[in-house]
Amino acid sequence: MNFNLSEEHLMIRDAARDFAQTELLPGVIERDTNQTFPHEQIKKLGELGFMGMMVDPNYGGSGLDTLSYVLAMEELSKIDASASVVVSVNNSLVCWGLDTFGSEEQKAKYLPKLAAGENIGAFCLSEPEAGSDATSQSTTAVDMGDHYLLNVTKNWITNGGTCEIALVIAQTDREKGHRGINVLIVEKGMEGFVVGEKEDKLGIRGSDTHTLLFNDVKVPKENRIG
């Protein structure tokens, strides 16, 4: 087995390393100390294709493989863990889920702006009483015919305050147990979607971590993934 990196992998690694040194390193300590979200740096990462690395090019992504993504994450994380966790959540938890399991309509609607860094995504699983145990969550999404009525509080959500799109893990049928768990796409601006207090995470204080509250949010049926 050949463990040598290809020329493309080396190019991507070096591009990420150069960006980390020239764009992330200046001011990294101050951003962490002051809990400042790296808006300018994330915008530039989007322009360079790092916010949608594995997304299909048909939806505005870079269409790269997992190794390319890992190499880039290593280089960004060496310098600024706050910026890298924003990139990680947007790529791994939001874009990947949509690209892999979303409908054609969902992909066309949401992926281009997420991959370009114009919009930022959040992944909402953890809850105050359940942590990241999806089977123990209290989230309810009641079937109301043409929409779900979503009620829950989600904690420790990376990109919570800056996200335009949130993928919310919700229980739509408790009798089915884990098979009744679904993922709903919730857009910022939907009535009842409230950004709560900012939370601190050691070492990534420049990231945007919040409690998110969903109070009787009406989520259209077409926003269910899968």
Side-chain angles (χ1 to χ4, degrees):
M1 183 177 290
N2 182 8
F3 290 98
N4 293 324
L5 296 175
S6 68
E7 288 188 12
E8 182 181 33
H9 288 139
L10 290 172
M11 179 183 69
I12 292 165
R13 183 200 65 185
D14 292 345
R17 180 178 295 174
D18 180 67
F19 184 90
Q21 291 290 335
T22 59
E23 299 289 344
L24 294 182
L25 184 57
V28 64
I29 300 301
E30 290 79 5
R31 289 196 300 275
D32 187 72
T33 300
N34 299 321
Q35 302 185 46
T36 303
F37 187 82
H39 289 284
E40 182 180 344
Q41 291 79 6
I42 294 301
K43 180 181 178 182
K44 290 180 180 179
L45 282 165
E47 293 171 352
L48 291 172
F50 286 108
M51 296 299 284
M53 294 190 69
M54 296 178 289
V55 173
D56 190 322
N58 291 326
Y59 305 108
S62 300
L64 298 171
D65 62 7
T66 306
L67 181 55
S68 299
Y69 170 57
V70 171
L71 289 168
M73 285 302 304
E74 283 184 338
E75 296 302 326
L76 300 178
S77 300
K78 288 177 186 177
I79 303 300
D80 188 346
S82 293
S84 70
V85 77
V86 177
V87 176
S88 174
V89 168
N90 202 74
N91 273 282
S92 300
L93 298 179
V94 180
C95 286
W96 181 85
L98 279 167
D99 199 15
T100 305
F101 299 107
S103 67
E104 289 302 314
E105 292 77 12
Q106 290 168 346
K107 293 178 185 180
K109 182 177 181 180
Y110 297 112
L111 280 176
K113 287 189 176 182
L114 287 168
E118 294 177 26
N119 287 346
I120 295 175
F123 185 81
C124 304
L125 171 60
S126 299
E127 296 181 7
E129 303 301 325
S132 297
D133 181 3
T135 60
S136 299
Q137 65 179 310
S138 61
T139 306
T140 58
V142 180
D143 191 335
M144 303 298 287
D146 63 344
H147 68 274
Y148 290 103
L149 197 62
L150 179 65
N151 280 282
V152 71
T153 296
K154 296 288 190 180
N155 280 62
W156 314 295
I157 305 303
T158 302
N159 301 342
T162 51
C163 70
E164 295 294 334
I165 305 297
L167 301 190
V168 183
I169 312 301
Q171 179 64 261
T172 57
D173 189 339
R174 290 201 177 279
E175 292 184 0
K176 292 183 179 180
H178 69 280
R179 295 185 181 277
I181 296 173
N182 282 279
V183 182
L184 304 178
I185 305 169
V186 183
E187 300 176 19
K188 183 171 284 186
M190 285 184 174
E191 187 175 355
F193 180 5
V194 179
V195 177
E197 64 182 31
K198 191 178 187 304
E199 298 162 336
D200 227 353
K201 286 183 178 177
L202 184 63
I204 51 173
R205 299 176 76 234
S207 69
D208 191 35
T209 305
H210 281 263
T211 294
L212 297 182
L213 301 92
F214 303 89
N215 304 316
D216 286 337
V217 179
K218 294 181 179 180
V219 184
K221 279 285 183 70
E222 59 264 29
N223 281 33
R224 186 183 72 184
I225 297 178

